[in-house]
Amino acid sequence: MRRVVVTGLGVISPVGNTVEEFWNSLRAGKVGIGELDRFDTSNYKVKVAAEVHDFDPESCMDFKEAKRMELFSQYAVAASSEAIAHAGLDLEKEDRCRIGVSVGCGIGGLQLMEQAHTKLTTKGPGRVPPLLIPMMITNMAAGNVALHFGLKGKCTNVVTACATGTHAIGDAYRSIQCGDADVMVTGGTEAAITPLGIAGFMGLTALSTSTDPLRASLPFDKNRSGFVMGEGAGIVVLESMEHAQARGAHILAEISGYGATCDAYHITSPCEDGDGAARAMLLAIQEAGLTVNDVQYINAHGTGTHHNDLFETRAIKRAFGDAAYGLNVNSTKSMTGHMLGAAGAAEFIVCVKSVMEDYIHPTAGFESAEEEMDLNYTKEGVSREVTAAISNSLGFGGHNGSLLVKKFAGE
């Protein structure tokens, strides 16, 4: 099994459209949530969202190419452009048949689907856009990344709701480990802040109805009341250690453990005792050849819903025992909202940056939790040596994923 390293990062997010801006915003505790202004919310209880701003697809593709992509695909291509450039990957010198793509999307092109349905019901089937299907289906994020860069290795799309980005990176990691590819461009993307997207989650009573952007997304806080819809993309370049070293790449970190389990418990709620999420974390730790005492930091799924935050806390305690109290736990969603299929990938990038810089960002807005939730939820950002970090994702349907990132130690 080959060792796998991270060499490139790319982000489109509510707090910045480059990795540098994204990371600096998180360090500063900047909240990217604001008034939802994409459509009229007069009849909606939900009034805020974490939207991407100042995004220009033509900064990385031409007008015609952009016009053939839905927003989630545009985000994926833009983040991939940054990640590939950051990795210093010269595609003209690479065997593109050995470079694969694993980019997931939880929902796909809701914008175009809604527009097409309106045309269908008002003007008939002849007015439905001819590219509706190839633009809206979730696999076209991966497909468009491969097309844009001419990547001819394996190309897959993972769809596991909120765990999508994590599982996509986990699958890419496995592909390199077993020799299916030398390089994988991987992560998640989402653009579902639409009338139907908001209404659907609102119907589940999963979304916060707070009108105060700074008090809407409150993971682990006793006043949490639901998550805030976010959007964007997180993409990373993974390589076999041998390939990265042979081309003289700057290695950012090593991914050395991946755990994936299922709760088989409920269609939306995590398992109450945290068993599935605990097993995912332990699988990642065991694969990395570490113990629970070797991990300093967990980037939690941390959505801000009552059940998720409580049950994930139980999962951490179940997996780590007494060592749980020595961890820093935080939630990036306190600032970015919940980026759905992109969340796990963006949060994996946070773990890489934390390992690189020995810094753990704050859980913005966190003040205090109820008695059972007694872990260190990182009220303030902290400088601390981080040799190993875990990124957790828990998706509707009981999907659990954990990725373990550690400092790269060479041979």
Side-chain angles (χ1 to χ4, degrees):
M1 302 292 280
R2 301 191 297 175
R3 290 172 65 182
V4 180
V5 296
V6 185
T7 57
L9 311 173
V11 169
I12 300 293
S13 84
V15 294
N17 294 334
T18 65
V19 170
E20 182 179 14
E21 187 179 1
F22 170 73
W23 178 240
N24 288 340
S25 294
L26 297 179
R27 286 185 63 114
K30 178 182 176 181
V31 174
I33 297 167
E35 181 182 356
L36 204 173
D37 58 10
R38 295 258 174 98
F39 56 88
D40 183 4
T41 61
S42 299
N43 295 325
Y44 288 72
K45 294 179 181 178
V46 172
K47 303 296 183 182
V48 300
E51 299 172 323
V52 168
H53 295 286
D54 303 318
F55 174 68
D56 178 14
E58 292 181 52
S59 65
C60 60
M61 66 189 84
D62 63 37
F63 173 77
K64 289 184 178 180
E65 186 180 9
K67 195 172 176 61
R68 292 192 296 270
M69 293 186 205
E70 265 281 68
L71 189 57
F72 74 97
S73 288
Q74 293 177 356
Y75 286 165
V77 171
S80 297
S81 296
E82 183 184 17
I84 290 171
H86 185 215
L89 199 60
D90 186 348
L91 296 177
E92 298 303 317
K93 296 179 180 178
E94 296 289 336
D95 179 357
R96 298 189 198 210
C97 293
R98 296 290 299 165
I99 303 177
V101 179
S102 174
V103 176
C105 180
I107 294 177
L110 272 186
Q111 293 96 337
L112 188 60
M113 190 186 306
E114 291 176 17
Q115 295 164 15
H117 182 261
T118 298
K119 288 184 178 180
L120 174 66
T121 56
T122 59
K123 298 181 179 180
R127 298 298 296 274
V128 171
L131 292 180
L132 169 65
I133 301 302
M135 287 178 69
M136 73 175 221
I137 51 180
T138 60
N139 71 297
M140 287 312 294
N144 277 309
V145 169
L147 283 164
H148 184 82
F149 296 102
L151 307 180
K152 299 181 179 181
K154 69 183 300 182
C155 184
T156 60
N157 167 47
V158 176
V159 185
T160 49
C162 309
T164 292
T166 294
H167 284 153
I169 294 173
D171 284 2
Y173 165 63
R174 292 277 184 255
S175 295
I176 295 172
Q177 275 188 320
C178 72
D180 283 352
D182 296 324
V183 181
M184 292 291 292
V185 179
T186 179
T189 185
E190 203 76 81
I193 301 177
T194 72
L196 187 59
I198 296 293
F201 282 109
M202 191 174 75
L204 286 171
T205 66
L207 298 180
S208 171
T209 57
S210 172
T211 57
D212 181 354
L214 298 180
R215 301 300 296 166
S217 182
L218 297 174
F220 302 110
D221 192 87
K222 65 182 179 181
N223 293 315
R224 66 193 185 279
S225 60
F227 74 83
V228 173
M229 280 277 277
E231 62 176 352
I235 301 291
V236 300
V237 174
L238 303 183
E239 303 184 47
S240 70
M241 183 182 71
E242 294 83 0
H243 183 275
Q245 290 178 330
R247 70 179 187 86
H250 175 56
I251 294 173
L252 309 177
E254 181 172 1
I255 173 172
S256 58
Y258 171 48
T261 66
C262 185
D263 290 337
Y265 169 73
H266 190 272
I267 59 172
T268 58
S269 173
C271 187
E272 291 187 19
D273 63 6
D275 174 68
R279 287 187 292 110
M281 286 183 272
L282 289 173
L283 286 170
I285 291 168
Q286 290 162 8
E287 182 180 14
L290 302 178
T291 72
V292 294
N293 295 306
D294 297 317
V295 178
Q296 296 82 34
Y297 165 46
I298 293 177
N299 187 296
H301 190 57
T303 60
T305 64
H306 178 271
H307 283 5
N308 177 92
D309 296 358
L310 175 59
F311 300 164
E312 188 173 9
T313 294
R314 290 175 180 172
I316 293 169
K317 292 181 181 182
R318 188 182 183 102
F320 282 79
D322 290 341
Y325 294 95
L327 294 165
N328 275 91
V329 178
N330 70 2
S331 173
T332 301
K333 295 179 181 72
S334 63
M335 291 174 271
T336 64
H338 192 344
M339 295 165 65
L340 304 181
E347 291 154 13
F348 176 81
I349 289 171
V350 171
C351 287
V352 172
K353 294 294 288 183
S354 291
V355 164
M356 291 174 65
E357 298 188 14
D358 292 317
Y359 183 83
I360 299 168
H361 75 65
T363 300
F366 176 77
E367 294 178 351
S368 61
E370 57 261 39
E371 184 177 354
E372 184 179 346
M373 294 171 57
D374 57 354
L375 300 181
N376 179 2
Y377 301 111
T378 317
K379 188 174 183 178
E380 304 289 340
V382 60
S383 293
R384 173 184 182 178
E385 184 179 23
V386 182
T387 58
I390 289 177
S391 178
N392 282 340
S393 291
L394 319 177
F396 282 0
H399 306 289
N400 305 304
S402 295
L403 293 165
L404 189 144
V405 184
K406 66 180 184 181
K407 287 189 186 296
F408 178 66
E411 299 294 341

